[in-house]
Amino acid sequence: MSTHVQLLIDGYLDETLTPDQLSELESWINSSPDHAEQFADAVHFDERMTAELSWQQFTESEPSETKHVATPAAVASPVQSSGYRRTWVIAAVAASILLIVGLAIQFAPDHPDNSKTAQNATEQAAPDNETDPTFVTLVQSIDAAWEDNRSWQSGDRMEAQTIALQSGIVHLQFDSGVEVTLEGPASYELQSIDQTKLAFGLLSATVPPGAEGFRVDTPSAQVIDLGTAFGIELDRDGLSKVSVFDGEVEVVSDNHRQKRLLTEGESVELSSDGSMSDIAFDTGRFEKLWPYGSGIVKSTGAFRFAPQWPRMANRIQSDRRIFVLPEGYANRLQSPCSVDITDPGHYTTEEQLLNSVIPTEQRVRSFLLMFNPTVTPDPDLNRRRLNIRDLELVEGSITFQHPILGVIVRDKTLFKTDGRFSLRTAVNVPFGQGLELDATRTGDIITLSEDRRTIDLSLMTFGRRGDHVRVIVDASIRPRFPRRPSETFRNNLRNPIDSGRARALR
């Protein structure tokens, strides 16, 4: 089996194939009975690993994930999370593949009945009390080069080990919900779900409510989270800088036994001997990490990630930039959230918008896309009459890691949700806020991609009017054990210690 085909099969098992890739895999399976049997073996082995750990399937892991953003006119278009089939076309093709798999398994020797496997998953789970030691998922890597020539992929699970990153950026998610972003060169030791150690490198961490107490040790101190977002810059000589972007952290020096409580907007520097001193708060070194740590894959054009300071959104101003501002932490909706757009499409008029809601208990994260024009202190310029020549086009594209559940573009819906996700955006800019969708040369345009991950925005800017768009992204928690376990655990399953287990995994 070629490496390319193996990647296609892995993508099928991880449910990440595009329609073209799925069609290519189907053609490969249909081309030979041997291919069908190889595919059946791969699927069956994956199922046996799932049963071995008593994993729940993604579609059963969280009932709220099966809910979709309801719309009066189109209830048949669910919002899918990253583990789901994205369209009914893919589902139809997948069904044909599963039919082939069923036939291959039925007639292949030594394969137990699949229905028994499903019914007895609990009975067969974790023989010999073997458990998965992993507690971290590699969410994303950007141009990552590893010191030990490892080939980590997005979705891989990690256990206690040292991450030796030569260059590039990686985004890690702990099972507790803590998210850590590293930039190489860096050496970062995963010790447990709530304790790690940074030998050197650049680190940014976000700790959601419920995961307080997460700790990052350095050669000269411990940084203990108290519910926050913070960053550590540590060179190979032991000089480190700790900055708090939100909330609080406690910094405890090893040698001098100093203890400091840092709050947002504060920074300290620690020398290699543990001495601690205040320094000016400067987030410049961390700004490259923030988009990846927030779940943004890429952006083009006018989009820029909003600085962590100043805190008030209406003080972040530019005549040429659309700032992307994450609004607080991921959380479950305590009440339905009204949105204006749920379906992919090209929106140019108000009539295309629908009164839709994201249901209660859905776990989401909110982002505010802000165009706040600079307000000049000159009163004469502010009173100047504007004309058509003052129109300027500001446009860009932004892609999120997870599916977009809904988009808010109307004034009244924005006002209704301001401050719901973050107090930082509770104060609004004057002179308009929502998009002007009127299908004229002065109107705005917004497009939601077919996979519900990318937004294209074209704004016709005019005077002091600001434009805001609120994007609600799926933040559903996946099962503790994903479909790509650690390499150690996969090797254990492929090399069982007794013949009985060998027969069970054939």
Side-chain angles (χ1 to χ4, degrees):
M1 185 187 303
S2 69
T3 302
H4 178 66
V5 171
Q6 184 62 58
L7 290 174
L8 289 176
I9 294 176
D10 287 345
Y12 172 80
L13 295 174
D14 291 340
E15 303 189 46
T16 59
L17 292 185
T18 65
D20 289 341
Q21 290 172 327
L22 200 53
S23 178
E24 182 183 354
L25 178 61
E26 183 185 18
S27 298
W28 180 83
I29 294 171
N30 288 329
S31 66
S32 165
D34 290 340
H35 292 174
E37 185 174 357
Q38 291 176 45
F39 179 72
D41 288 341
V43 173
H44 187 67
F45 179 73
D46 184 81
E47 290 175 351
R48 296 295 294 183
M49 285 204 305
T50 303
E52 181 100 352
L53 288 170
S54 188
W55 291 335
Q56 295 180 347
Q57 294 192 11
F58 283 127
T59 53
E60 299 172 349
S61 65
E62 202 168 25
S64 63
E65 288 187 30
T66 63
K67 298 179 182 178
H68 62 273
V69 180
T71 65
V75 181
S77 178
V79 174
Q80 297 130 332
S81 63
S82 59
Y84 291 26
R85 301 282 187 253
R86 284 184 302 220
T87 65
W88 68 269
V89 176
I90 300 178
V93 177
S96 66
I97 292 179
L98 288 175
L99 178 60
I100 298 171
V101 174
L103 293 174
I105 292 177
Q106 180 178 351
F107 294 104
D110 297 326
H111 281 304
D113 182 66
N114 278 342
S115 62
K116 293 181 180 179
T117 300
Q119 294 171 2
N120 299 328
T122 303
E123 298 174 9
Q124 299 171 354
D128 303 327
N129 295 320
E130 189 169 12
T131 58
D132 183 1
T134 63
F135 52 90
V136 174
T137 300
L138 175 60
V139 177
Q140 187 181 10
S141 65
I142 301 92
D143 300 326
W146 312 91
E147 292 281 0
D148 51 6
N149 294 321
R150 298 291 295 271
S151 57
W152 293 106
Q153 302 175 25
S154 296
D156 283 350
R157 296 283 291 175
M158 294 180 169
E159 52 197 302
Q161 62 185 281
T162 297
I163 298 174
L165 184 63
Q166 191 175 49
S167 61
I169 296 174
V170 295
H171 178 202
L172 310 172
Q173 184 174 52
F174 289 71
D175 290 341
S176 60
V178 173
E179 297 187 60
V180 169
T181 309
L182 286 173
E183 182 178 20
S187 177
Y188 183 55
E189 183 181 354
L190 306 175
Q191 298 176 332
S192 68
I193 196 170
D194 56 7
Q195 186 166 337
T196 64
K197 184 174 183 178
L198 182 68
F200 60 88
L202 190 69
L203 175 149
S204 178
T206 301
V207 182
E212 295 88 349
F214 180 76
R215 174 174 155 180
V216 180
D217 291 347
T218 70
S220 59
Q222 297 91 46
V223 180
I224 304 168
D225 162 78
L226 301 177
T228 185
F230 65 92
I232 302 175
E233 181 182 358
L234 175 59
D235 66 24
R236 294 178 184 268
D237 296 327
L239 182 66
S240 62
K241 300 175 183 178
V242 181
S243 300
V244 180
F245 313 133
D246 184 41
E248 299 177 332
V249 300
E250 186 176 66
V251 181
V252 181
S253 171
D254 283 343
N255 298 336
H256 291 253
R257 294 300 175 186
Q258 292 178 275
K259 181 185 292 187
R260 282 286 306 276
L261 180 67
L262 299 181
T263 59
E264 58 186 56
E266 293 184 334
S267 299
V268 294
E269 182 176 81
L270 294 104
S271 62
S272 58
D273 64 1
S275 59
M276 189 185 313
S277 59
D278 293 322
I279 58 173
F281 181 71
D282 182 8
T283 62
R285 284 285 285 120
F286 302 97
E287 291 179 5
K288 185 178 179 181
L289 304 185
W290 289 338
Y292 304 111
S294 299
I296 296 171
V297 176
K298 65 178 180 180
S299 63
T300 61
F303 280 109
R304 293 294 184 274
F305 205 79
Q308 297 285 324
W309 205 263
R311 298 296 298 166
M312 302 305 294
N314 62 341
R315 293 177 58 189
I316 303 173
Q317 301 176 352
S318 172
D319 292 328
R320 301 300 306 163
R321 302 299 184 197
I322 303 172
F323 288 106
V324 184
L325 177 65
E327 298 188 281
Y329 302 104
N331 62 81
R332 292 189 181 277
L333 294 175
Q334 300 303 308
S335 61
C337 179
S338 299
V339 294
D340 302 318
I341 295 172
T342 61
D343 294 328
H346 188 67
Y347 293 84
T348 60
T349 66
E350 285 269 350
E351 288 72 22
Q352 294 175 271
L353 306 180
L354 298 173
N355 295 319
S356 308
V357 296
I358 301 174
T360 304
E361 291 302 317
Q362 175 69 51
R363 193 170 188 268
V364 302
R365 187 165 192 185
S366 176
F367 296 81
L368 189 65
L369 312 183
M370 305 185 306
F371 174 72
N372 291 346
T374 304
V375 178
T376 175
D378 189 336
D380 293 332
L381 289 177
N382 289 331
R383 288 194 296 265
R384 185 175 66 86
R385 185 179 182 85
L386 299 173
N387 57 56
I388 197 67
R389 290 192 298 272
D390 293 311
L391 280 174
E392 290 191 34
L393 176 63
V394 178
E395 57 185 350
S397 176
I398 183 167
T399 300
F400 296 89
Q401 189 171 5
H402 300 295
I404 296 169
L405 299 180
V407 185
I408 300 172
V409 299
R410 286 188 280 210
D411 287 347
K412 64 178 182 180
T413 322
L414 285 164
F415 292 150
K416 188 176 180 180
T417 53
D418 275 339
R420 177 168 184 172
F421 300 98
S422 172
L423 292 177
R424 185 178 183 187
T425 55
V427 179
N428 306 312
V429 295
F431 310 114
Q433 187 178 34
L435 299 186
E436 295 179 293
L437 301 175
D438 55 16
T440 67
R441 62 179 298 189
T442 62
D444 303 319
I445 301 173
I446 183 170
T447 302
L448 177 60
S449 66
E450 285 296 324
D451 64 358
R452 288 184 169 90
R453 282 177 166 82
T454 300
I455 283 181
D456 295 316
L457 196 57
S458 296
L459 305 177
M460 294 303 299
T461 68
F462 192 74
R464 295 173 60 193
R465 178 183 170 86
D467 289 303
H468 284 189
V469 174
R470 180 163 283 117
V471 182
I472 312 298
V473 177
D474 182 17
S476 302
I477 298 177
R478 307 301 172 200
R480 179 180 175 87
F481 301 109
R483 302 182 82 92
R484 293 186 63 87
S486 70
E487 183 176 340
T488 299
F489 195 69
R490 292 174 69 159
N491 288 339
N492 288 341
L493 289 179
R494 292 184 182 277
N495 299 284
I497 59 175
D498 59 71
S499 58
R501 289 184 63 196
R503 287 192 300 272
L505 292 175
R506 271 191 304 183

